[in-house]
Amino acid sequence: MSTTVIPHDLEPHPLTGMYNGKFGIWLFLASEIMLFGALFSTYVLLRVGAPPGQWPAHGSEILNVPLATLNTAVLISSSVTMVMSWAALKMKKFGSAQVWLTITFLCAGAFLVVKYFEYTDKFHHYQVWLNDPMPVGGHEVTTIKGHLTADSPKLECSEKTGAFNIPEYVIITPDGDHGSSGHGEAVRVEGSKIKRISNFGPRHSPYLATYFTMTGLHGLHIVGGMVVILYFMLVGGAIWKRSPEKYTNRIECTGLYWHFVDLVWIFLFPVLYLL
Amino acid sequence: MSGHHDHSHGHHDHGHDLPFWRKYIFSVDHKMIGCQYTVTALLFLFFGFTLMMIMRWQLAYPGQAIPFIGQYLSKDIAADGVLVGDGYNAFGAMHGTIMVFLAIVPLAVGGFGNYVLPLQVGAPDMAFPKLNMMSYWVYFCGGVTMLTSFFIKGGAAASGWTSYPPLSVFASSGQTVWLLGMVLLITSSLLGSVNFIVTTVQMRAKGLSFFRLPFFVWAQLVTSFLLLLAFPPLEAAGVLQLMDRLAGTSFFMPSGLVFSSEPQTHMSGGGSPLLWQHLFWFLAHPEVYVLILPAMGIVSEVIATNTRKPLWGYKSLVYSVIFLGFMSFIVWAHHMFMTGMGTTLSTFFQATTMVISVPSVIVLTCLILSLYGASIRYNTPMLFALAFLPMFAIGGLTGLPLGLTASDIHLHDTYYVIGHFHYVVAPGTIFAMFAGIYYWFPKVTGRKMSEFLGKLHFWPSFVFINVVFMPMFFQGMAGLLRRQYDQTEQLHGSIAHGLTKMSSYGAWLLALAQLPFIINFFYSMFKGRKVDANPWESTTLEWAAPSPPPHGNFDKTPVVYCGPYEYSVPGKSKDYCPQHVAMEA
Amino acid sequence: MSHHEMSVEDVKKHVRTYIAVFVALLVFTGITVGVSMLGQNQGWTVTTAVLIALFVASIKGSLVACYFMHLISEKSMLFGILALCAFFFLVLLLIPVITVSDNVGVH
């Protein structure tokens, strides 16, 4: 351990009103704003520049709004429990602070579980683009969205591009009118008629690429926050014993980061799901 | 975290008790980290220069085997000793990347910033010493990642240091390694910039108000803000390009793309190659100021000390550098005039580009006027600092035609651009870095570098660096395109190719001219003349600490009584009043 | 006001604010989803939908920043830095778009 005393490690500086760590975390958050700023810029540029029909008119056509609403509530709750943990430390109640911290951690975990179900759902949902229109359910269509049946041959990925090779044929159950699944009759589409086939993963369209990149990066921030919270759940007691003030400050800084992650989601939710 | 109240006694002797690996390898002392940055960056500087020297052989003697080292290069790079096209492209891309991200920025910010800034603000260390150590090691890992890309299948990244898609998305896996390396380097810079800003704002010594800060600290502060706010968009762009390469997305891939006569129907399309350029240059233009601002800071310190005069227009310098930093965020698309992004944007960015040249000229003018009426000490650091002024002026002024859309049509993507940029960074920034090394060497080691070897280093370097870059302006105006593997294909043996040979010889001689520096560096480290704590009789706080400064820097916490450049104050017995010495009335 | 020397009473007052903000955030989440559904049924233009969604999100974001992150009681220097950041954020968000809007009709 170095023995150099760093000024304003605990004492707020009169100019900024913050101790070093808090000022540092705010600066870091400023850089994070620019990081997500670039991604929002990507979203705006690609969407404004897209030809009509390439982007869904409304995120709910593809994404699951009720689940995302639930997740928003979960994340907001985790934010309030985080700040409660800090408030408890300010009142010198270490025990209840650790309980609030644990609830925060569990909320974050719940958020990721919900996200996992949202993601896997997309990877099992397919779209087939056709070379020529064909009749499905009484309409001439150029593309079919739906789920592949169990009899449909397994899709193989191209080694060169990573995309699915065009299979010999697929059997697909088309979606209902409003994205509800599995109402129509399964259709068999020959490989010769298929222009492109993809699941609703990142490579499906610029919209889903943006969705997966933005929520994925946000998810990584959640994981990062969980690691830090877990660390304080485990060794918080030792730090608190050594210096209650230092521990309170660290939880405050963790909280600032955590609220920022919440804040990003508050913007991601309407932008990706509701527009 | 360091800084326990119960251990606050004991000070610097603890620095000597640490085991070797804590003192020299995983050190949390800003001075050791500064030295680590400097040495690593100098090695990368040398490596990047070597790549270029090999490329210059191919340009001067296309198709001929490279003497001495050609036989040792792998088949992918040089077949029978002749540099192949892919090897040339990889070397070009890696030269740019290494010089900018692994050599100059770490040297200017990581090296000089880390070592000098805490001393100049009178702090015992950086605000977050462990984070500081982490920045260095993340940078180191980024550097190693970049270097490993030379050894993987398909070779290193070869799409230029700008990595424009769609080319870079179709490139071999070296590009993926490049992107991962960049993500590490960006992370390192972000951690570093947070540390610099907090240290400067929160840890200034008592009495050291913002307008008493040495200009170097101001330059570093503005630089840190540029790194903090401009680097994240490139990190985002890097993530997007990784997604394009690894997850098959189409962020940068337009609809209907055909590659190697194959329609790319497996892609969704709908992306925008221009998006990458916007995000890339949103960083990369401020990056140019990241390269030049610390250099201006170093030059100002050296000039003030060796003219024995206060800097002319200190406040103008400070306001200019702040304005420069601000404007550098809104000029980026002048790199994109030729992309067809539309006349509205071109006109806007042309206007902002002309505006940003004003503060640059103010800085240069202040520095030149500082020389007026001085009895100058022509020592080695001062020679490099003086050479910086006209070299940076040439580099800056030749940038104006590139910032005007009309003349850019002719000059874009020619050797003129290379000449312009290198005049700013090579005889500009790198000369300032040399000035800084000669100037602060006595602080770091307690010994002065040899003046004789220093001058033997300066004069040939000054001549040959102009031999390298001056011809490029003429070649560019003659229409010679950059990034060409074999220039004779375009030039048909015209006079411009003679200039290429001249450039190449200049580069090799420039390498020879660095030998005195390398000898001087190691010789002086062990055998140089021992000097006291303030050999240049300078005023700023770093000279108040012992040489080399112990762990914790100052024997007693300094208090500041006056501005940074109180030289030749009338009525004083000495011609300098250090900042930490109370001025008697 | 500095959090450095906060009394237990102060903290309790804070806690009441946090709970009020929490409830407000949940209500606004409901509003933004509801309005979005309504807009879809009524066939509002994209511009209207974007403006409303961003307006609600901004209110929610401000609540989080001001109260959970205590921005409301910070000193002016931090505001300066964040304002700078916000300015560059907007530059980055809006200027590249001109690239495509200038080329309308290319598609």
Side-chain angles (χ1 to χ4, degrees), chain A residues 176-235:
Chain A
D177 284 341
H178 295 289
S180 52
S181 61
H183 292 300
E185 283 285 303
V187 220
R188 183 181 156 117
V189 187
E190 294 304 324
S192 57
K193 292 184 175 167
I194 300 175
K195 187 158 75 183
R196 178 173 175 240
I197 178 166
S198 170
N199 57 17
F200 279 68
R203 67 172 73 238
H204 175 274
S205 56
Y207 169 65
L208 279 169
T210 318
Y211 164 77
F212 275 101
T213 309
M214 291 182 102
T215 55
L217 204 63
H218 178 261
L220 283 180
H221 278 77
I222 300 261
V223 173
M226 284 174 79
V227 170
V228 175
I229 293 172
L230 184 65
Y231 172 78
F232 287 128
M233 280 160 64
L234 296 177
V235 303

Side-chain angles (χ1 to χ4, degrees), chain B residues 115-172:
Chain B
Y115 199 98
V116 178
L117 184 132
L119 285 166
Q120 282 195 335
V121 300
D125 204 315
M126 294 289 259
F128 312 109
K130 281 187 185 166
L131 196 69
N132 202 15
M133 175 181 83
M134 198 174 134
S135 318
Y136 171 75
W137 284 104
V138 173
Y139 154 67
F140 185 84
C141 294
V144 170
T145 309
M146 286 287 181
L147 289 186
T148 50
S149 69
F150 279 104
F151 302 103
I152 61 170
K153 195 165 162 278
S159 312
W161 80 285
T162 51
S163 286
Y164 278 6
L167 179 67
S168 56
V169 174
F170 289 116
S172 69

Side-chain angles (χ1 to χ4, degrees), chain A residues 55-76:
Chain A
W55 281 59
H58 200 269
S60 63
E61 282 177 18
I62 294 181
L63 301 176
N64 190 329
V65 176
L67 273 187
T69 313
L70 170 69
N71 246 354
T72 309
V74 168
L75 211 53
I76 290 172

Side-chain angles (χ1 to χ4, degrees), chain A residues 71-139:
Chain A
N71 246 354
T72 309
V74 168
L75 211 53
I76 290 172
S77 310
S78 83
S79 223
V80 79
T81 55
M82 188 76 218
V83 79
M84 290 303 251
S85 170
W86 173 78
L89 287 176
K90 273 286 173 193
M91 293 188 279
K92 308 283 175 209
K93 290 182 194 159
F94 176 75
S96 67
Q98 293 300 91
V99 172
W100 285 119
L101 204 57
T102 312
I103 299 175
T104 311
F105 184 81
L106 294 176
C107 282
F111 179 90
L112 288 183
V113 169
V114 173
K115 207 78 221 150
Y116 169 79
F117 283 114
E118 273 192 80
Y119 273 17
T120 34
D121 191 40
K122 294 289 146 274
F123 282 104
H124 293 115
H125 190 196
Y126 289 84
Q127 181 163 10
V128 176
W129 288 266
L130 305 165
N131 288 319
D132 301 301
M134 72 179 259
V136 174
H139 304 287

Side-chain angles (χ1 to χ4, degrees), chain A residues 1-10 13 15-21 23-25 27-28 30-32 34-35 38-39 41-42 45-46 54 160-161 163 195-196 202-206 209-210 212-213 217 242 246 250, chain B residues 1-5 7-8 11 14 28 124-128 130 190 194 197-198 201-204 210 228-229 232-233 235-236 239-240 243 247-249 251 255 262 265-272 275 279 282 551-552:
Chain A
M1 267 295 159
S2 138
T3 50
T4 314
V5 179
I6 304 291
H8 302 293
D9 196 28
L10 292 173
H13 190 281
L15 179 66
T16 56
M18 290 182 276
Y19 50 89
N20 291 345
F23 189 31
I25 204 86
L27 291 171
F28 171 70
S31 84
E32 291 278 87
M34 296 307 287
L35 178 74
L39 295 176
S41 176
T42 303
L45 188 138
L46 291 186
Q54 194 181 44
K160 207 168 110 203
T161 63
K195 187 158 75 183
R196 178 173 175 240
R203 67 172 73 238
H204 175 274
S205 56
T210 318
F212 275 101
T213 309
L217 204 63
R242 217 164 51 221
K246 173 156 258 179
R250 286 186 172 190
Chain B
M1 276 286 166
S2 47
H4 303 279
H5 285 297
H7 290 300
S8 54
H11 305 297
H14 279 256
V28 291
D125 204 315
M126 294 289 259
F128 312 109
K130 281 187 185 166
L190 287 177
V194 168
I197 297 172
V198 176
V201 173
Q202 309 247 107
M203 289 167 64
R204 282 165 295 125
F210 274 103
L228 186 76
L229 299 178
E235 192 148 24
V239 170
L240 297 180
M243 289 293 285
T249 58
F251 286 111
S255 304
E262 280 175 43
T265 47
H266 63 87
M267 284 179 189
S268 69
S272 164
L275 173 63
L279 297 179
F282 188 84
H551 199 62

Side-chain angles (χ1 to χ4, degrees), chain B residues 263-336:
Chain B
Q264 302 293 307
T265 47
H266 63 87
M267 284 179 189
S268 69
S272 164
L274 277 187
L275 173 63
W276 167 268
Q277 298 190 20
H278 277 301
L279 297 179
F280 180 84
W281 288 114
F282 188 84
L283 156 87
H285 198 81
E287 180 78 8
V288 177
Y289 291 89
V290 169
L291 300 172
I292 199 68
L293 295 184
M296 287 173 175
I298 294 171
V299 167
S300 308
E301 298 300 302
V302 174
I303 285 184
T305 302
N306 290 304
T307 53
R308 317 306 295 164
K309 280 176 63 198
L311 279 180
W312 195 92
Y314 168 79
K315 280 202 175 177
S316 318
L317 278 169
V318 171
Y319 287 128
S320 300
V321 88
I322 293 172
F323 186 59
L324 209 55
F326 178 80
M327 286 302 290
S328 73
F329 279 94
I330 42 178
V331 295
W332 80 84
H334 64 211
H335 296 268
M336 299 163 59

